[in-house]
Amino acid sequence: MFEGVRPRAVLFGIVADIGATFIAMMLLTSFLGMQVGSENLSQAELMQLIEEALQQPPYLLVGGILGLLATALGGYVAARTAEVAPLLNAACVGLFDVVLGIFLIGGSPLWFSVIGLLLTLPAAIAGGVLFRRTA
């Protein structure tokens, strides 16, 4: 069933996904910090405002889209790195993300987490499809 899975390709895809997610979330958090940082606030008050803002629908949407784009990048990297079965390797990145997401559930509203988990595998496969179309 998993013939054609290249662990190295999947690992590269996971690293690309996590790295892109980290960078995107740091940029989003920095943007929020600039928005609320103009007031004279302590570090703790600033962090509390950022955490509250990240739970608002507009920022959840932006964060979710950035996360799915990072997952698609991970799928693309896995597909590109694999010598065979690019979509299978991309899907493995998505499966890893789904499992990781299940363990990390709880920091966001439940509806957001469920939608994110449902879209993760298709996003990773979309990255693999993008590779196949450009290869």
Side-chain angles (χ1 to χ4, degrees):
M1 178 173 159
F2 288 102
E3 187 175 322
V5 173
R6 300 292 187 254
R8 181 173 160 259
V10 174
L11 180 63
F12 284 172
I14 290 169
V15 169
D17 180 3
I18 292 172
T21 299
F22 178 77
I23 291 169
M25 292 306 131
M26 291 300 295
L27 291 172
L28 182 60
T29 303
S30 296
F31 174 75
L32 281 172
M34 288 188 295
Q35 296 298 311
V36 297
S38 60
E39 305 168 18
N40 291 329
L41 301 172
S42 70
Q43 184 71 16
E45 291 171 326
L46 179 63
M47 292 307 296
Q48 179 66 28
L49 280 174
I50 290 173
E51 286 179 29
E52 289 171 7
L54 285 172
Q55 297 301 314
Q56 299 302 314
Y59 291 107
L60 284 172
L61 179 64
V62 170
I65 290 170
L66 291 173
L68 290 172
L69 288 173
T71 299
L73 174 66
Y76 180 90
V77 168
R80 182 181 173 109
T81 308
E83 293 146 6
V84 296
L87 294 182
L88 177 61
N89 286 279
C92 287
V93 173
L95 286 174
F96 174 85
D97 284 356
V98 168
V99 171
L100 184 64
I102 290 170
F103 284 109
L104 297 178
I105 217 166
S108 300
L110 182 60
W111 63 267
F112 178 78
S113 297
V114 169
I115 291 171
L117 287 173
L118 291 174
L119 294 176
T120 296
L121 187 57
I125 293 170
V129 169
L130 179 63
F131 165 72
R132 283 185 51 183
R133 289 191 178 179
T134 59

